[in-house]
Amino acid sequence: MSFDRGSWNTRLGFVLAAAGSAVGLGNIWKFPYITGENGGGWFVLIYLSAILLVGVPIMIAEVMIGRSSQKSPVSAFKILAGEDSNWRFVGWMGIAAGFVILSYYSVVAGWSLNYVLLAIMDTTHNQTPEQIGGLFGKLYADGNITLFWHFLFMSMTVGIVLGGVRKGIEKASRVLMPLLFILLLILVVYGFFAPEQGFMRTVRFIFYPDASKLTSRGVLEALGHAFFTLSLGMGAMLTYGSYLDRKEDLVRSSVTISILDTVVALMACFMIFPIVFGYGFEAQAGPGLVFKTMPIIFSQLPGGMILALMFFLLLTFAALTSAISLQEVVTSFFIDETSWSRRKATLLTGTIIFIFGVPSAYSGQGAVFGAWAEIFGMNFFDTMDYLASNWLLPAGGLLIALFAGWRMPAALTRAEFSTGSNLEHWYPIWRFILRWVTPILVAVVLLYKIQVLRLP
Ligand code: TRP
């Protein structure tokens, strides 16, 4: 066994790193546009319920499994359930999900790096909206350039993880997370002063429940996104929890992380939509919202170059602190299960993940890689995202809930729940929700997906 595993310096360091994992492209790139697609209101309400009934209970369970075993997913299940127990495959599934998610996540994060450079060079100055919108199409279709940014972003990720838990991940999170909050706050304040009552229209758009816009697909999407945005279902929080001191309050930490993530997702809407509405654009622009609509708007505003720079730096920081958590799951698996050093584990797996992301980077380039990149009628990129967020994460989350709710002895989970916490009176409620509500909700969603249950 290698002794390269580490531990957090402080509880705040853990909370910032875990919040860094949770706050990512999911909050700033995806949440606003799926909220847009689903008409706001009800979708946001259902998303918040999913965070409360599914997200928080599983977050507590994951951190608990990690903290009590002090191991990464596969080893954790071996310690808690026995060397040969089949539960270890939940860990294996998590490692696989980490590979898959990071490979395409880094491609999107790479686009964000590209826009940081465009902002610095003030490329969009004096360009027409059509030209600026076209920039993204060009980038998406140009596999070579996308590959370059993917490489650069993976190198940054690997570089931080090489530094270890304290000197790499914790240190990076302590710098990047406060910066992220400051940038977000500045841009939200800016949004508050948007013309045409952009801010008030955003309030109405986000919170006004319009039942006619609510579809059953939207409900499923809200639940799936709750997993993704909180980094649940594949052992990322479990791994971060394994570096947490046994004395620390895991309940309060988990709740804080979930609240931070939710607040950032809502703030991202209040950063984006007021200026989208205020300058007469559409909220339902899909994935292009961040990479097309935003640069167009920025190009028309005074000081837009600075705003664009802040926006894409924010997006890059958010993506980076998430990517390191994905890489860390894979790295810590090899540290715990083999005699590899952190250096060897990180460099080797980082390289493989980079290569695995190559087809995603070329997904937009129909002609060359398109032929074999098209699986199930989607390109490689979409297939990976679909596979991970719709299947691997919910299935992993369901199994983790069942493990902590039914397989771990109540005496153990009660003791873990109460250590260092003054929230122990919540234990029976947590356990009840984790045993009954969470698994049933997730199972229903999965059954709908395999069409055992049909959508109305
Ligand atoms: N939560 C991150 C986001 O919202 C993505 C992420 C990081 C993630 N680590 C994860 C998703 C682990 C699932 C599992 O962008």
Coordinates of all heavy atoms in Angstrom, one line a residue, residues 95-133:
I95 N -15.3 5.0 -10.4 CA -14.0 5.3 -11.1 C -14.3 5.4 -12.6 O -13.8 6.4 -13.3 CB -13.0 4.1 -10.9 CG1 -12.9 3.7 -9.4 CG2 -11.6 4.5 -11.5 CD1 -12.4 4.7 -8.5
A96 N -15.1 4.5 -13.2 CA -15.4 4.6 -14.6 C -16.1 5.9 -14.9 O -15.8 6.6 -15.9 CB -16.3 3.4 -15.0
A97 N -17.1 6.3 -14.1 CA -17.8 7.5 -14.3 C -16.8 8.7 -14.3 O -16.9 9.7 -15.1 CB -18.9 7.7 -13.3
G98 N -15.8 8.7 -13.4 CA -14.9 9.8 -13.3 C -14.1 9.9 -14.6 O -13.9 11.0 -15.1
F99 N -13.6 8.8 -15.1 CA -13.0 8.8 -16.4 C -13.8 9.5 -17.5 O -13.4 10.4 -18.2 CB -12.7 7.4 -16.9 CG -11.3 6.9 -16.6 CD1 -11.0 6.2 -15.4 CD2 -10.3 7.2 -17.5 CE1 -9.8 5.7 -15.2 CE2 -9.0 6.7 -17.2 CZ -8.7 6.0 -16.1
V100 N -15.1 9.0 -17.6 CA -16.0 9.4 -18.6 C -16.3 10.9 -18.5 O -16.1 11.6 -19.5 CB -17.3 8.6 -18.6 CG1 -18.3 9.1 -19.5 CG2 -17.0 7.1 -19.0
I101 N -16.7 11.3 -17.3 CA -17.1 12.7 -17.1 C -16.0 13.6 -17.4 O -16.1 14.6 -18.1 CB -17.7 12.9 -15.7 CG1 -19.0 12.0 -15.6 CG2 -18.1 14.4 -15.5 CD1 -19.6 12.1 -14.2
L102 N -14.8 13.4 -16.8 CA -13.7 14.3 -16.9 C -13.3 14.4 -18.4 O -12.9 15.5 -18.9 CB -12.5 13.9 -16.1 CG -11.3 14.8 -16.1 CD1 -11.7 16.3 -15.8 CD2 -10.3 14.4 -15.1
S103 N -13.4 13.3 -19.2 CA -12.9 13.4 -20.6 C -13.7 14.4 -21.4 O -13.1 15.1 -22.2 CB -13.0 12.0 -21.2 OG -14.3 11.7 -21.5
Y104 N -15.0 14.5 -21.2 CA -15.7 15.5 -22.0 C -15.9 16.9 -21.2 O -16.0 17.9 -21.9 CB -17.1 15.0 -22.4 CG -18.2 14.9 -21.4 CD1 -18.9 15.9 -20.9 CD2 -18.4 13.6 -20.8 CE1 -19.9 15.8 -19.9 CE2 -19.4 13.5 -19.8 CZ -20.1 14.6 -19.4 OH -21.1 14.4 -18.4
Y105 N -15.9 16.8 -19.9 CA -15.9 18.0 -19.1 C -14.8 18.9 -19.5 O -14.9 20.1 -19.6 CB -15.8 17.6 -17.6 CG -16.3 18.6 -16.6 CD1 -17.7 18.7 -16.4 CD2 -15.5 19.5 -15.9 CE1 -18.2 19.6 -15.4 CE2 -16.0 20.4 -15.0 CZ -17.3 20.4 -14.8 OH -17.8 21.3 -13.8
S106 N -13.6 18.3 -19.7 CA -12.4 19.1 -20.0 C -12.5 19.8 -21.4 O -12.0 20.8 -21.6 CB -11.2 18.2 -19.9 OG -10.1 18.8 -20.5
V107 N -13.3 19.1 -22.3 CA -13.5 19.7 -23.6 C -14.3 21.0 -23.5 O -13.9 22.1 -24.0 CB -14.2 18.7 -24.5 CG1 -14.6 19.4 -25.8 CG2 -13.3 17.5 -24.8
V108 N -15.4 21.0 -22.7 CA -16.2 22.2 -22.5 C -15.4 23.3 -21.8 O -15.4 24.5 -22.1 CB -17.5 21.9 -21.7 CG1 -18.3 23.2 -21.5 CG2 -18.3 20.8 -22.4
A109 N -14.7 22.8 -20.7 CA -13.8 23.8 -20.0 C -12.8 24.4 -20.9 O -12.4 25.6 -20.8 CB -13.2 23.1 -18.8
G110 N -12.3 23.6 -21.8 CA -11.3 24.1 -22.8 C -11.9 25.2 -23.7 O -11.3 26.2 -23.9
W111 N -13.2 25.1 -24.1 CA -13.8 26.2 -24.8 C -13.8 27.5 -23.9 O -13.6 28.6 -24.5 CB -15.3 25.9 -25.1 CG -15.5 24.8 -26.1 CD1 -14.6 24.4 -27.0 CD2 -16.6 23.9 -26.2 NE1 -15.1 23.3 -27.8 CE2 -16.3 23.0 -27.3 CE3 -17.8 23.8 -25.6 CZ2 -17.2 22.1 -27.7 CZ3 -18.8 22.9 -26.0 CH2 -18.4 22.0 -27.1
S112 N -14.0 27.3 -22.6 CA -14.0 28.5 -21.8 C -12.7 29.1 -21.8 O -12.6 30.4 -21.8 CB -14.4 28.0 -20.4 OG -14.4 29.1 -19.5
L113 N -11.6 28.3 -21.7 CA -10.3 28.9 -21.8 C -10.1 29.7 -23.1 O -9.5 30.8 -23.1 CB -9.2 27.8 -21.8 CG -8.8 27.2 -20.5 CD1 -7.8 26.1 -20.7 CD2 -8.1 28.3 -19.6
N114 N -10.6 29.1 -24.2 CA -10.6 29.8 -25.5 C -11.2 31.2 -25.4 O -10.7 32.2 -26.0 CB -11.3 28.9 -26.5 CG -11.2 29.5 -27.9 OD1 -10.3 29.4 -28.6 ND2 -12.3 30.2 -28.3
Y115 N -12.3 31.3 -24.7 CA -13.0 32.6 -24.6 C -12.3 33.5 -23.7 O -12.5 34.8 -23.8 CB -14.5 32.4 -24.2 CG -15.3 32.1 -25.4 CD1 -15.5 30.8 -25.9 CD2 -16.0 33.1 -26.1 CE1 -16.2 30.5 -27.0 CE2 -16.7 32.8 -27.3 CZ -16.8 31.5 -27.7 OH -17.6 31.2 -28.8
V116 N -11.5 33.0 -22.7 CA -10.7 33.9 -21.9 C -9.7 34.6 -22.8 O -9.5 35.8 -22.8 CB -10.0 33.1 -20.8 CG1 -8.9 34.0 -20.1 CG2 -10.9 32.6 -19.8
L117 N -9.1 33.8 -23.7 CA -8.2 34.4 -24.6 C -8.8 35.4 -25.6 O -8.3 36.5 -25.8 CB -7.5 33.3 -25.4 CG -6.4 33.8 -26.4 CD1 -5.2 34.3 -25.6 CD2 -5.9 32.7 -27.3
L118 N -10.0 35.0 -26.1 CA -10.7 35.9 -27.0 C -11.0 37.3 -26.3 O -10.9 38.3 -26.9 CB -12.0 35.3 -27.5 CG -12.0 34.1 -28.4 CD1 -13.3 33.7 -28.9 CD2 -11.1 34.4 -29.6
A119 N -11.4 37.2 -25.0 CA -11.7 38.4 -24.2 C -10.4 39.2 -24.1 O -10.4 40.5 -24.3 CB -12.2 38.1 -22.9
I120 N -9.3 38.6 -23.7 CA -8.0 39.3 -23.5 C -7.6 40.0 -24.8 O -7.2 41.2 -24.8 CB -6.9 38.4 -23.1 CG1 -7.2 37.9 -21.7 CG2 -5.6 39.1 -23.1 CD1 -6.2 36.8 -21.2
M121 N -7.8 39.4 -25.9 CA -7.4 40.0 -27.2 C -8.5 40.9 -27.8 O -8.3 41.5 -28.8 CB -7.1 38.9 -28.3 CG -6.0 37.9 -27.8 SD -5.4 36.9 -29.1 CE -6.8 36.4 -29.9
D122 N -9.6 41.0 -27.0 CA -10.7 41.8 -27.5 C -11.1 41.5 -28.9 O -11.5 42.4 -29.7 CB -10.3 43.3 -27.3 CG -11.6 44.2 -27.1 OD1 -12.6 43.6 -26.9 OD2 -11.4 45.4 -27.1
T123 N -11.2 40.2 -29.2 CA -11.5 39.8 -30.6 C -12.8 40.2 -31.1 O -13.0 40.5 -32.3 CB -11.4 38.2 -30.6 OG1 -10.2 37.8 -30.0 CG2 -11.6 37.7 -32.0
T124 N -13.8 40.3 -30.2 CA -15.2 40.5 -30.7 C -15.5 42.0 -30.9 O -16.5 42.4 -31.4 CB -16.2 40.0 -29.7 OG1 -16.0 40.6 -28.4 CG2 -16.1 38.5 -29.5
H125 N -14.5 42.8 -30.6 CA -14.6 44.3 -30.8 C -14.9 44.6 -32.2 O -14.3 44.0 -33.1 CB -13.3 45.0 -30.4 CG -13.4 46.4 -30.3 ND1 -14.1 47.1 -29.3 CD2 -12.9 47.4 -31.1 CE1 -14.1 48.4 -29.4 NE2 -13.3 48.6 -30.5
N126 N -16.0 45.4 -32.5 CA -16.3 45.7 -33.9 C -16.8 44.6 -34.8 O -16.9 44.8 -36.0 CB -15.1 46.4 -34.6 CG -14.9 47.8 -34.1 OD1 -15.9 48.5 -33.6 ND2 -13.7 48.3 -34.1
Q127 N -17.1 43.4 -34.2 CA -17.6 42.3 -35.0 C -19.2 42.4 -34.9 O -19.7 42.9 -33.9 CB -17.1 41.0 -34.5 CG -15.7 40.7 -34.8 CD -15.3 39.3 -34.7 OE1 -16.0 38.5 -34.1 NE2 -14.2 38.9 -35.3
T128 N -19.8 41.9 -35.9 CA -21.3 41.8 -35.9 C -21.7 40.6 -35.0 O -21.0 39.7 -34.9 CB -21.9 41.6 -37.3 OG1 -21.4 40.3 -37.8 CG2 -21.4 42.7 -38.3
P129 N -23.0 40.7 -34.5 CA -23.5 39.6 -33.7 C -23.4 38.2 -34.5 O -23.0 37.2 -33.9 CB -24.9 39.9 -33.5 CG -25.0 41.4 -33.5 CD -23.9 41.8 -34.5
E130 N -23.6 38.3 -35.8 CA -23.5 37.0 -36.6 C -22.1 36.5 -36.5 O -21.9 35.3 -36.3 CB -23.9 37.2 -38.0 CG -25.4 37.5 -38.2 CD -25.8 38.8 -37.8 OE1 -25.0 39.8 -37.8 OE2 -27.0 39.0 -37.3
Q131 N -21.1 37.4 -36.7 CA -19.7 37.0 -36.6 C -19.4 36.4 -35.3 O -18.7 35.3 -35.2 CB -18.8 38.1 -36.9 CG -18.7 38.5 -38.4 CD -17.9 39.8 -38.6 OE1 -18.1 40.8 -37.8 NE2 -17.1 39.8 -39.6
I132 N -19.8 37.0 -34.2 CA -19.5 36.6 -32.8 C -20.1 35.2 -32.6 O -19.5 34.3 -32.1 CB -19.9 37.6 -31.8 CG1 -19.1 38.9 -32.0 CG2 -19.6 37.1 -30.4 CD1 -19.7 40.1 -31.2
G133 N -21.4 35.1 -32.9 CA -22.1 33.9 -32.8 C -21.4 32.7 -33.5 O -21.3 31.6 -33.1

